[in-house]
Amino acid sequence: MAVEIIGSTAGAGSFVLDLVRCLAAPIGRPFKYLWNYNTNFINLEKEVDKLKDARVKVQRKVDAAINNVEEIEETVEKWQKDVDSIIGEAEQLIQEKANNPHCFKGLCPNWIVHYKRSKKAFKLKESDISQLLDKEFNEVSYPTNPPEIWLRSNKDYVALESRTSTLKNVRDALNDDNIYMIGVYGMGGLGKTTLVQEVGRKAMEERLFDDMVFIEVTETPNIETIQLKIAKKLGLELGKESEVADKANKLYARLKMSKKDEKGEKGKKDEKDMRPVKILLILDNIWKDLDLATVGIPSGDDRGGCKLLLTTRVRDVLDRMGSTNNFTMGTLNEEEAWNLFQKMAGDVIQTPGLNSLPQDVCKECGGLPIVICTIAKALRNKRDPFNWEDALGELRAPSPTKFVGLLEEDYQKIALSYKYLRSDELRKTFLISSLMGNDTSISNLFKHVVSLDILEGANLTMEKARNRLNKLVRELKDLCLLLEGSRSKQFSMHDVIRAIAITIAYTDHHVFTERNDIEKEWKDKDKLRKCTKICLLGDDVICQLWHEELDFPNLEFFYMDMNNSFNIHENLFKKMPKLKVLNLFRIQLSSLPQSLDLLANLQTLCLYDSKIKDVAIIGKLKKLKVLSLRNADIRELPTEMGQLTQLRLLDLSNCRGLEVIAPNVISKLSQLEELYVSGCHIQCKVEVLKELKDLSKLASLEIDIEDNKMLPKDFFSKELKRYNISIGLGWFHPYKWVNYEPSRILGLKYDDNISLEELQIYKNVEILQLTEVSNDDNNLLPLFNEKV
């Protein structure tokens, strides 16, 4: 007990001394901290709440930027870290205050602690938090070029000895500063593209280059297209340069750029601290020598930090372009071929009843990687011996030749994979895909396939038909008959596979392309009468066809690039009674031939990038289901279009000259399921918008509405499965270039004139863009019932 009394007395004495020290200091501020003890904490709590709200707002911007594949500014990231730290410090102080320590066994407050805490609370609020709240971020991020799909890890890549040695040689050449141009050559189907992409992945992992560009040149290279593709991947804008030479100059300057060496002294601009930007430019599938200067690619001693990696089937191309470091690729030896075959075929090769059949089939593939992969995947789930025996028989004794040229045997072997497609649905989809160019969107393929009775299932909605096609494309990719495109929801096709597909299409289904003999087959009227499909996408169009009346009684599909200016005979479509799909790409005429209205069975009409202005005649096509006038020069959607009562998809995207949609046209399209009118200067009157409410089957919508005051009541009257809607944002669409395609995007210039109840329908928004948000955050809370 004596000890306790002495301790208490000592504590009281200490308190008195501490109090004297406080009173001995300048009286004003310490007394003020004690006097305003509770007030300072109340103010601190309020400021912490404000800081938390500010943190939430910035985080929303950051989340949107990340979803938009953008990089966050370092100042924003530092601000977020500082905010988290200060909030943590303030909340800890507030919690300590809540403990309310006392002295003298709790009989009186601890004034010294109160003074220190009150002072700290005051400074946190006045200095630290105030500075953070004063910081405003108009922009929290900056755009970047997302890495291409092929740069990601390729799980199917097999490290084979012959390929590994070639890969090492190419990588060693890339590391040699004295080597500028490297070539990889060999026949089609050997995996040249796969190898250089693996080289590119390794080089980027090791940070050998600042930038990397992969471009497929193709057999008919277009200089301007190559320039634009390279520029886009380097983040370079070439739109203002109208001439190819001007684009070349600007691209040349970008490829020769220098940057400050990180080892140089910070802030110093001495030339010795500058180094060329290191760029690896991969030009894949070159068929003839490319004039680098015309494109704008630096070469030789003037190359700067740019290096070229080329692939081709023709060794002479590399020689003519001046490449002296060239590596050939050949077929695989038996061990490599078997390793690859095992990986592609999977566990099915261990089926006891197959015995030596897998090894025998692999041996007959001749060591050609594309043949091995295609055949192995075609037999992947085939456990019955007869499938393997049949494949072996076809490989050893192929049917009568349908292919010509040096790749005859290889084509015959690859064509076997077509035979093993499980259904006519897959086969037909594959053949139509072969008529499209590389990096074709699945959406574009859909417009051509949906009207050809290819997709199985009666009375499919457009949404279900899209899902069905996506499944088929994925299956064809898994079988290596289609390849991934450069972007999501695109596809490409290996040129060997395409050649096989087109040959099959011609021999089995009378499909004509620009590869047919112009002098012979295009003048054989008996052959033309059997023709079911025509696809002319090359530069050498058959102009003489359009000056006479043609007889195509069995033609169902007509796809042509009409970039060359020539007249179409008025009776061109007079004798095409079965035509279902018509695509006149880049047609230069202002009006369509009068014989168009004779196409009584036409279901798809595409006039991409056309100069067409008068489209009234289209209204006579009563069975039309798909109409795409994307990028066309039309000024008005006339009254006659209201007669298209069977129309299910209408695409008017980027018709920049479109100003008027005639009244009561949209509302009459009662079967419409998909409507695309984004990117237009159209004056969407309230009456036109009201007509959308009459479209009971509408499931997909893309539209730009200039003024939210034009929205009629109950405009959002039904739940859409896919949409990209912009309200009051004009032409600003930041999400159209992202590497994946979201299904539901809403851009909104929000104000109190929009009824929140009308917007409740959007519960499943994937990307939301809000601008000019009300200061009252509570107004935003009812917008969505679920987290976006």
Side-chain angles (χ1 to χ4, degrees):
M1 179 64 71
V3 173
E4 290 182 3
I5 294 174
I6 292 171
S8 298
T9 304
S14 176
F15 167 71
V16 172
L17 289 175
D18 287 340
L19 182 59
V20 169
R21 290 191 191 102
C22 288
L23 295 177
I27 297 299
R29 183 169 298 176
F31 184 73
K32 181 179 180 181
Y33 289 144
L34 291 173
W35 181 262
N36 294 324
Y37 178 71
N38 289 325
T39 302
N40 286 341
F41 272 93
I42 291 173
N43 292 338
L44 177 62
E45 291 178 0
K46 290 180 179 179
E47 292 301 293
V48 168
D49 288 340
K50 290 180 182 179
L51 191 56
K52 287 181 178 180
D53 290 341
R55 180 174 62 176
V56 169
K57 291 180 180 179
V58 171
Q59 187 61 46
R60 286 172 182 166
K61 292 183 178 180
V62 168
D63 291 341
I66 292 173
N67 291 335
N68 200 28
V69 200
E70 295 185 353
E71 289 288 338
I72 306 304
E73 296 283 0
E74 291 182 3
T75 54
V76 175
E77 293 179 336
K78 183 180 183 304
W79 182 90
Q80 289 181 304
K81 290 180 180 178
D82 291 343
V83 167
D84 291 340
S85 176
I86 291 298
I87 289 177
E89 185 178 354
E91 288 182 337
Q92 181 179 354
L93 183 63
I94 293 169
Q95 183 60 43
E96 291 175 355
K97 185 260 184 185
N99 294 333
N100 195 23
H102 289 67
C103 62
F104 291 115
K105 297 184 178 182
L107 297 178
C108 68
N110 190 328
W111 299 108
I112 301 301
V113 173
H114 279 209
Y115 162 75
K116 291 179 179 179
R117 287 178 179 163
S118 181
K119 180 179 179 181
K120 188 174 182 180
F122 180 81
K123 289 187 174 181
L124 277 175
K125 181 251 183 190
E126 290 295 324
S127 299
D128 299 329
I129 296 180
S130 294
Q131 290 181 9
L132 293 172
L133 287 174
D134 289 342
K135 187 67 174 176
E136 294 184 2
F137 297 104
N138 294 326
E139 300 290 341
V140 300
S141 62
Y142 54 92
T144 60
N145 281 325
E148 297 185 59
I149 294 175
W150 66 267
L151 275 172
R152 302 170 186 171
S153 177
N154 184 0
K155 63 180 181 180
D156 288 335
Y157 182 78
V158 180
L160 305 171
E161 183 177 353
S162 63
R163 298 302 185 261
T164 301
S165 61
T166 303
L167 187 144
K168 181 180 183 302
N169 291 334
V170 174
R171 291 179 64 191
D172 289 344
L174 289 179
N175 279 292
D176 191 335
D177 292 336
N178 297 318
I179 297 176
Y180 157 65
M181 189 183 300
I182 306 160
V184 178
Y185 64 94
M187 64 173 288
L190 290 172
K192 300 183 295 295
T193 300
T194 301
L195 183 134
V196 296
Q197 288 182 339
E198 184 66 16
V199 169
R201 274 190 288 269
K202 297 292 185 182
M204 290 305 288
E205 287 176 4
E206 297 172 5
R207 299 185 178 182
L208 296 181
F209 297 92
D210 299 302
D211 290 303
M212 181 177 299
V213 176
F214 179 91
I215 296 292
E216 184 183 10
V217 178
T218 76
E219 60 216 72
T220 55
N222 181 286
I223 297 298
E224 187 173 10
T225 300
I226 293 173
Q227 290 174 325
L228 293 174
K229 285 183 176 180
I230 295 175
K232 181 179 180 181
K233 294 181 180 183
L234 291 174
L236 176 66
E237 177 59 55
L238 288 183
K240 296 180 181 179
E241 289 72 23
S242 58
E243 300 295 331
V244 169
D246 294 332
K247 289 182 172 68
N249 291 335
K250 191 169 183 180
L251 182 58
Y252 180 90
R254 173 64 177 86
L255 290 170
K256 277 203 66 180
M257 278 180 56
S258 295
K259 64 183 282 188
K260 187 171 180 10
D261 196 325
E262 295 177 358
K263 297 179 182 179
E265 185 178 343
K266 187 174 182 181
K268 190 175 180 181
K269 296 185 178 180
D270 195 325
E271 288 187 4
K272 67 181 181 180
D273 291 332
M274 303 298 289
R275 69 165 179 83
V277 174
K278 295 181 179 180
I279 299 174
L280 177 59
L281 182 56
I282 303 176
L283 300 179
D284 184 47
N285 197 20
I286 299 178
W287 288 74
K288 55 186 178 181
D289 50 310
L290 189 66
D291 189 337
L292 299 177
T294 302
V295 177
I297 300 174
S299 59
D301 295 335
D302 194 36
R303 63 183 179 266
C306 186
K307 281 202 175 190
L308 287 180
L309 178 55
L310 316 175
T311 72
T312 182
R313 297 185 186 186
V314 186
R315 169 64 187 266
D316 288 345
V317 168
L318 300 176
D319 294 336
R320 289 194 295 268
M321 291 185 66
S323 178
T324 57
N325 294 270
N326 303 317
F327 306 96
T328 182
M329 287 183 63
T331 56
L332 306 178
N333 60 40
E334 288 189 12
E335 182 180 356
E336 290 179 325
W338 178 239
N339 289 337
L340 180 61
F341 191 91
Q342 289 183 94
K343 183 173 180 62
M344 296 297 109
D347 295 339
V348 68
I349 62 173
Q350 299 176 4
T351 302
L354 295 180
N355 299 317
S356 67
L357 279 172
Q359 291 90 340
D360 295 339
V361 170
C362 176
K363 184 177 181 179
E364 290 300 324
C365 289
L368 191 64
I370 194 169
V371 177
I372 293 172
C373 292
T374 304
I375 297 300
K377 286 192 174 183
L379 294 170
R380 188 177 183 91
N381 296 313
K382 304 294 190 299
R383 298 187 179 276
D384 294 324
F386 69 83
N387 287 315
W388 292 79
E389 290 171 354
D390 184 58
L392 186 60
E394 289 287 344
L395 287 167
R396 287 177 172 172
S399 58
T401 301
K402 294 181 181 179
F403 307 104
V404 296
L406 296 176
L407 299 177
E408 177 181 339
E409 291 185 5
D410 299 317
Y411 279 12
Q412 193 69 27
K413 293 172 182 177
I414 296 173
L416 183 59
S417 63
Y418 171 79
K419 175 182 177 181
Y420 279 105
L421 290 177
R422 62 176 177 78
S423 65
D424 283 341
E425 187 182 33
L426 267 176
R427 295 188 189 97
K428 291 177 181 179
T429 301
F430 168 65
L431 294 181
I432 293 296
S433 299
S434 72
L435 303 179
M436 307 286 165
N438 279 335
D439 284 337
T440 294
S441 69
I442 300 177
S443 180
N444 186 37
L445 176 65
F446 173 76
K447 294 173 183 176
H448 296 82
V449 167
V450 72
S451 299
L452 289 176
D453 300 324
I454 290 177
L455 303 176
E456 295 177 356
N459 301 319
L460 286 176
T461 64
M462 299 297 271
E463 186 71 18
K464 290 181 179 179
R466 280 186 182 276
N467 293 337
R468 185 70 184 170
L469 181 60
N470 284 330
K471 181 177 182 297
L472 294 173
V473 170
R474 172 44 56 193
E475 190 166 348
L476 290 171
K477 286 181 178 179
D478 291 341
L479 293 170
C480 296
L481 291 175
L482 290 182
L483 305 174
E484 296 289 350
S486 61
R487 295 175 65 86
S488 174
K489 297 189 179 179
Q490 291 181 336
F491 67 88
S492 293
M493 183 178 289
H494 192 283
D495 47 7
V496 172
I497 296 291
R498 191 183 305 280
I500 292 172
I502 289 176
T503 302
I504 294 173
Y506 168 67
T507 55
D508 295 354
H509 304 284
H510 308 288
V511 177
F512 279 46
T513 69
E514 67 269 15
R515 298 187 183 189
N516 290 97
D517 189 328
I518 295 176
E519 295 299 323
K520 182 178 179 181
E521 294 181 275
W522 283 106
K523 293 181 179 180
D524 188 332
K525 293 186 177 181
D526 289 336
K527 282 193 174 182
L528 293 183
R529 286 180 59 83
K530 296 178 182 178
C531 181
T532 62
K533 296 176 181 64
I534 294 176
C535 183
L536 304 174
L537 299 181
D539 294 331
D540 298 325
V541 295
I542 306 165
C543 300
Q544 62 264 36
L545 283 177
W546 320 121
H547 300 298
E548 60 179 320
E549 181 181 309
L550 297 176
D551 189 5
F552 287 102
N554 293 301
L555 191 67
E556 293 183 341
F557 179 98
F558 191 1
Y559 187 6
M560 181 176 178
D561 184 347
M562 305 192 65
N563 192 36
N564 292 335
S565 299
F566 52 83
N567 292 324
I568 297 179
H569 196 282
E570 282 296 320
N571 293 325
L572 174 64
F573 303 116
K574 186 175 181 180
K575 295 183 178 180
M576 299 182 184
K578 294 184 179 180
L579 193 64
K580 293 181 179 179
V581 176
L582 176 60
N583 187 338
L584 300 179
F585 178 47
R586 295 193 291 190
I587 187 170
Q588 303 298 302
L589 305 177
S590 61
S591 61
L592 295 163
Q594 291 301 310
S595 57
L596 183 74
D597 64 2
L598 300 176
L599 300 177
N601 290 303
L602 192 67
Q603 296 181 36
T604 290
L605 176 61
C606 298
L607 301 172
Y608 302 147
D609 298 330
S610 72
K611 300 297 182 183
I612 297 293
K613 291 181 173 57
D614 183 5
V615 294
I617 192 174
I618 296 176
K620 297 182 179 181
L621 304 174
K622 306 298 184 184
K623 291 188 178 181
L624 205 61
K625 293 196 300 186
V626 176
L627 175 60
S628 179
L629 300 173
R630 179 183 289 265
N631 296 323
D633 282 353
I634 61 170
R635 298 289 185 269
E636 177 183 3
L637 202 67
T639 304
E640 289 84 350
M641 302 298 278
Q643 302 174 46
L644 302 176
T645 55
Q646 298 302 310
L647 198 64
R648 298 168 69 181
L649 186 156
L650 176 59
D651 187 357
L652 302 173
S653 301
N654 299 321
C655 291
R656 303 181 189 277
L658 181 61
E659 297 178 349
V660 177
I661 293 181
N664 301 319
V665 168
I666 298 297
S667 59
K668 290 180 180 178
L669 308 179
S670 57
Q671 301 300 311
L672 202 63
E673 298 178 40
E674 301 185 8
L675 176 62
Y676 307 98
V677 287
S678 63
C680 299
H681 277 306
I682 181 173
Q683 301 298 320
C684 273
K685 296 182 180 179
V686 175
E687 291 76 11
V688 176
L689 294 174
K690 286 181 178 179
E691 294 183 39
L692 294 180
K693 296 193 297 181
D694 297 330
L695 303 179
S696 60
K697 296 185 178 181
L698 191 65
S700 181
L701 176 65
E702 289 188 7
I703 189 171
D704 299 333
I705 302 174
E706 295 182 1
D707 188 352
N708 54 36
K709 295 180 181 178
M710 298 167 57
L711 285 175
K713 187 177 181 181
D714 300 327
F715 173 66
F716 305 108
S717 59
K718 70 185 302 296
E719 185 169 349
L720 300 172
K721 294 185 177 179
R722 295 188 299 122
Y723 54 82
N724 189 339
I725 299 175
S726 167
I727 304 175
L729 299 183
W731 289 74
F732 182 58
H733 290 280
Y735 298 107
K736 286 196 172 182
W737 57 269
V738 294
N739 200 39
Y740 90 107
E741 298 179 17
S743 297
R744 296 174 296 278
I745 302 175
L746 176 62
L748 180 63
K749 181 179 180 181
Y750 181 74
D751 62 35
D752 295 335
N753 293 322
I754 300 179
S755 169
L756 297 177
E757 294 179 357
E758 292 177 334
L759 299 180
Q760 292 274 348
I761 193 69
Y762 292 101
K763 298 179 181 179
N764 298 314
V765 175
E766 289 183 296
I767 291 182
L768 171 66
Q769 178 195 351
L770 290 178
T771 62
E772 297 188 11
V773 181
S774 170
N775 291 327
D776 185 358
D777 293 337
N778 293 328
N779 285 342
L780 295 181
L781 297 179
L783 269 175
F784 302 95
N785 293 330
E786 299 178 6
K787 182 178 180 182
V788 178

